[in-house]
Amino acid sequence: MHESAEPPKPLLILLPGLDGTGKLFGDFIEALGAEVDARIVTYPLDRRLGYEELEQLVRAALPASRRCVILAESFSGPIAIRIAADPPAELEGVVLCVTFARNPFPLLAWLRPLVKALPVKHMPHWMRSGFMWGSRSSKRLPSPANRATAAVDSDVLRHRIGAMLGVDATPALARIAMPMLVMEASADNVVPAAATPYILSLQPNARHARIEGPHLLLQTRPRECAAEVIQFVRAAVAAPLRAETTSGLRPDPVEVAPLLGVSSDHDQPPAPLRSPRSHQGRQAAVRRHPYDRHDGG
């Protein structure tokens, strides 16, 4: 008598931040351990592609016969939002990490034509560490962050910044009808605080995890982030295969067990992950951990 083959582990598709290299996912992938298979989709180092072209690149990289969840970090948020709004059959959920649905700096939109002159690789270390790492000490900027951006052509980085200043995935965000996890950094000095409430205003049933840390949340708090993501991915992939209905909504809720060490606004366990227009779900879960800021950054 042959033993039945074990089902494949949940698959998590990782979309990187502005650098597009995926080199900063190492610690997070390690924290995922054997619970989840992770696959990074990288962006070209020397081709100036906007959000539309990058969306097509990501769609082409998604598995055709394996259920998966997308995790988009920072710059890649609008890409994941647009894919989740018109998802392939195997996509079962989306995780938005320290990201946005539309231009996070609307007052700077007028600078878009001038981005081509931005010295993206000559910004002082203390400035980059303050924004990206959450500290004014250049010693705390991780070397992988420097290596990641160094590998990318300066014109490509400038093109992506310009695309970010003009993006608006709001219509797509409103159409998403699958489980969503929104991860927010408590000390994000890059993405404005208003970005997450805006996403939740259009997806009020999304699970909201606020983790103490800077913009590079997956890099500074990999274990905490992995715990949230593993639980979400398990629930999304374990649910009955996503089916289209006349309303376009997932017919069955996905139950999520409570996380140890997570407290909510009302000390209640997470509610089921439901489609956005079904029942009112739980708005926020907050995982709190000490965040060292010895130098006031």
Side-chain angles (χ1 to χ4, degrees), residues 2-295:
H2 298 287
E3 294 184 1
S4 58
E6 293 185 2
K9 290 186 291 186
L11 177 60
L12 182 65
I13 304 296
L14 300 173
L15 306 186
L18 186 68
D19 62 277
T21 66
K23 292 181 178 179
L24 300 181
F25 284 133
D27 289 342
F28 175 66
I29 291 176
E30 183 178 351
L32 291 173
E35 301 289 337
V36 175
D37 280 341
R39 181 183 303 173
I40 302 172
V41 178
T42 60
Y43 305 151
L45 303 177
D46 56 358
R47 294 171 58 198
R48 295 187 298 172
L49 303 180
Y51 275 113
E52 291 76 12
E53 295 91 346
L54 290 173
E55 177 189 342
Q56 295 308 312
L57 183 151
V58 173
R59 284 184 179 275
L62 294 177
S65 58
R66 186 175 176 185
R67 300 169 72 183
C68 64
V69 170
I70 286 179
L71 183 153
E73 182 183 35
S74 192
F75 169 82
S76 289
I79 299 172
I81 287 171
R82 287 170 173 170
I83 293 175
D86 183 18
E90 300 300 322
L91 184 62
E92 295 297 331
V94 60
V95 180
L96 302 178
C97 182
V98 293
T99 189
F100 46 87
R102 59 181 180 179
N103 174 13
F105 311 107
L107 297 180
L108 300 181
W110 65 275
L111 289 174
R112 190 180 180 190
L114 306 178
V115 167
K116 60 184 179 181
L118 189 66
V120 290
K121 292 191 178 181
H122 301 287
M123 189 180 295
H125 284 292
W126 65 265
M127 185 178 296
R128 273 189 289 172
S129 61
F131 278 103
M132 301 298 289
W133 201 241
S135 166
R136 295 191 181 94
S137 171
S138 61
K139 295 180 180 179
R140 295 185 62 191
L141 183 68
S143 56
N146 285 324
R147 292 197 298 269
T149 54
V152 187
D153 186 90
S154 294
D155 285 340
V156 171
L157 291 174
R158 284 189 281 262
H159 189 77
R160 290 174 187 167
I161 293 173
M164 180 182 66
L165 293 177
V167 72
D168 188 355
T170 297
L173 178 63
R175 296 200 310 272
I176 295 176
M178 65 171 54
M180 177 185 293
L181 169 63
V182 181
M183 299 175 66
E184 177 186 14
S186 66
D188 196 330
N189 290 329
V190 179
V191 175
T196 294
Y198 183 74
I199 292 173
L200 295 174
S201 71
L202 294 174
Q203 288 288 326
N205 291 287
R207 177 172 171 79
H208 174 209
R210 188 172 188 269
I211 299 175
E212 293 195 3
H215 181 66
L216 290 179
L217 194 61
L218 299 178
Q219 293 72 37
T220 58
R221 295 291 180 262
R223 293 182 181 179
E224 293 87 339
C225 292
E228 291 281 355
V229 171
I230 288 170
Q231 185 186 45
F232 176 82
V233 171
R234 279 177 175 172
V237 175
L241 188 64
R242 180 168 51 84
E244 297 297 331
T245 65
T246 55
S247 62
L249 302 180
R250 176 190 290 271
D252 299 313
V254 182
E255 296 292 339
V256 179
L259 268 174
L260 293 176
V262 176
S263 60
S264 72
D265 294 337
H266 304 291
D267 293 324
Q268 296 294 325
L273 287 173
R274 297 181 171 91
S275 49
R277 297 176 183 82
S278 58
H279 302 288
Q280 181 66 32
R282 178 174 179 267
Q283 184 173 358
V286 181
R287 175 181 287 271
R288 301 193 182 278
H289 291 268
Y291 175 45
D292 296 329
R293 304 186 66 169
H294 301 301
D295 53 14

